[in-house]
Amino acid sequence: MSKKVAVLTSGGDAPGMNACIRAIVLACEREGHSIVGYKHGYNGLLNQEYQALDSSMVHNLTQRGGTILHSARCEAFKTNDGAKKAAENLRWLDIDTLIVIGGDGSFRGAAHLAKFWSGQILGLPGTIDNDINGTDATIGYFTAIETAVQSIDKVRDTADAFERIFLVEVMGRHAGFLAMNGALASASDYVILPELFESEETTLQDILSQLSEKREQRGNVSYIIVLTENLWPGGINRLVSQLEAKTDTDVRPVILGHVQRGGSPVSQDRLLALKLGAHAATLIGTSANLIMVGEKNGNPVEVCLPDTWAEQKPLDNCTVSTLKMLINNRYA
Ligand code: F6P
């Protein structure tokens, strides 16, 4: 039976969100569902800012970064009054199914809305952080790794030329997936990430002993440390000063920041987005509700929304072992 579907993108935008919107729109059209897109995340729900979507509007969208629906973090929606208003607006538009593409904050928002709205809610994991339980990867994560790796490769050239120490800060909020994979794939010398962080002292000692070992073997060499944002007490500039004081070497900080959220999605993100979006469309009108569609071992899976944020997603053991063998070998 044909349904009225709404889709929105919320929280930190991620490359591949557009591909996901396209998959949902095309699959909905094929099944005879009508579809609208709310703009600016949950703000669009509160302000009735939406537009009808059809296949002509998602032409050439798979390869585009960002999100045509725009995104936002919406404080007003977190209140009961906000969610009630959103529920009213959904009822007014006769929406049967709401599809939310976003991260854990967006999923919590969806669960909050469900207290006031009895329609179907489906989540799709869109965040560069890969910090959502129940899915092997999130839409945008692979592109962000690629961006970090390409940037660190470039930093390496200039670091080598001056035999300098560089500190490269990557995003991830409180998760080390981007840092770990970015550091490994760019053959960085050290990585500081929340899941393996013990203390400032041990980390500093470790870096200094590795660095002096390298310098004894090979003379003055460049040294690249990848740092997860929000982790080092006092921030990256404090670590720069600490290292400069202890090594008597120039240390330069590079904060990759929001660059990692942009750009055309790499194939892995496009494929993930298309597969998850298409699978979500097959669930429209079924009893599946308040679930996220993720991917495990190449297959779509349906995960209860609260399970996606209940625990911190662990780093995968195999990559951690590789890291300990090749980069931070103190942990071996
Ligand atoms: O969750 C995605 C993310 O890019 C995090 O990696 C980062 O900590 C945060 O969003 C930045 O948020 P904002 O765009 O609000 O500065």
Side-chain angles (χ1 to χ4, degrees):
M1 210 176 110
S2 113
K3 298 285 176 194
K4 192 153 184 198
V5 179
V7 59
L8 60 84
T9 49
S10 161
D13 50 285
M17 281 182 163
N18 276 331
C20 196
I21 294 168
R22 176 171 173 267
I24 293 165
V25 170
L26 295 184
C28 279
E29 232 178 51
R30 195 189 138 106
E31 295 303 314
H33 305 312
S34 61
I35 179 153
V36 299
Y38 280 105
K39 312 268 295 229
H40 302 114
Y42 290 117
N43 281 310
L45 265 183
L46 293 182
N47 304 328
Q48 284 296 45
E49 197 191 348
Y50 63 88
Q51 66 180 111
L53 296 173
D54 62 40
S55 51
S56 69
M57 301 167 85
V58 296
H59 183 62
N60 273 343
L61 202 56
T62 302
Q63 64 273 39
R64 274 174 60 190
T67 158
I68 54 162
L69 294 176
H70 299 263
S71 193
R73 306 188 199 279
C74 179
E75 286 305 312
F77 182 73
K78 293 182 184 164
T79 63
N80 284 348
D81 284 349
K84 277 182 197 163
K85 175 83 184 139
E88 249 172 57
N89 287 343
L90 284 163
R91 280 190 287 271
W92 184 82
L93 254 191
D94 284 331
I95 299 296
D96 299 296
T97 303
L98 174 67
I99 302 180
V100 174
I101 310 171
D104 66 326
S106 308
F107 290 170
R108 284 172 214 258
H112 177 55
L113 173 68
K115 293 184 221 147
F116 307 98
W117 186 62
S118 58
Q120 184 185 30
I121 299 181
L122 305 173
L124 289 165
T127 166
I128 63 166
D129 301 335
N130 193 32
D131 58 349
I132 298 183
N133 263 302
T135 184
D136 287 341
T138 54
I139 298 162
Y141 168 54
F142 296 109
T143 309
I145 295 176
E146 195 53 41
T147 301
V149 169
Q150 285 182 13
S151 308
I152 298 168
D153 284 350
K154 288 178 181 153
V155 166
R156 173 68 77 186
D157 291 341
T158 175
D160 268 352
F162 274 74
E163 288 141 0
R164 271 176 174 156
I165 299 173
F166 267 83
L167 267 173
V168 183
E169 182 182 287
V170 298
M171 278 188 165
R173 198 179 290 274
H174 302 296
F177 291 95
L178 278 177
M180 177 173 75
N181 288 288
L184 254 182
S186 62
S188 292
D189 299 283
Y190 201 87
V191 56
I192 307 173
L193 40 83
E195 293 85 345
L196 300 177
F197 187 68
E198 288 171 17
S199 71
E200 231 182 277
E201 291 71 29
T202 48
T203 307
L204 271 175
Q205 269 170 23
D206 204 23
I207 292 172
L208 294 172
S209 67
Q210 266 200 29
L211 183 64
S212 61
E213 214 175 285
K214 270 203 174 148
R215 285 185 168 169
E216 267 164 36
Q217 286 167 2
R218 293 197 268 140
N220 244 1
V221 284
S222 64
Y223 193 84
I224 296 183
I225 301 165
V226 175
L227 170 69
T228 312
E229 63 171 352
N230 303 320
L231 180 59
W232 195 261
I236 188 169
N237 288 323
R238 180 164 165 266
L239 181 53
V240 166
S241 311
Q242 287 169 304
L243 288 169
E244 280 188 332
K246 298 223 184 262
T247 60
D248 202 22
T249 312
D250 280 344
V251 181
R252 295 283 189 263
V254 175
I255 298 177
L256 294 186
H258 290 77
V259 165
Q260 293 157 103
R261 291 232 296 253
S264 175
V266 299
S267 308
Q268 270 169 298
D269 276 326
R270 297 182 193 192
L271 293 171
L272 182 66
L274 295 171
K275 284 197 273 182
L276 298 190
H279 186 77
T282 67
L283 300 176
I284 292 167
T286 69
S287 60
N289 190 20
L290 276 177
I291 54 114
M292 171 195 78
V293 178
E295 188 185 65
K296 283 268 174 196
N297 303 318
N299 294 310
V301 287
E302 289 143 35
V303 186
C304 286
L305 271 191
D307 292 346
T308 64
W309 69 74
E311 285 168 18
Q312 187 176 11
K313 182 177 181 179
L315 299 175
D316 56 290
N317 290 333
C318 174
T319 318
V320 172
S321 309
T322 313
L323 182 84
K324 288 174 177 177
M325 237 185 285
L326 301 182
I327 301 186
N328 293 16
N329 47 24
R330 177 174 67 91
Y331 297 106

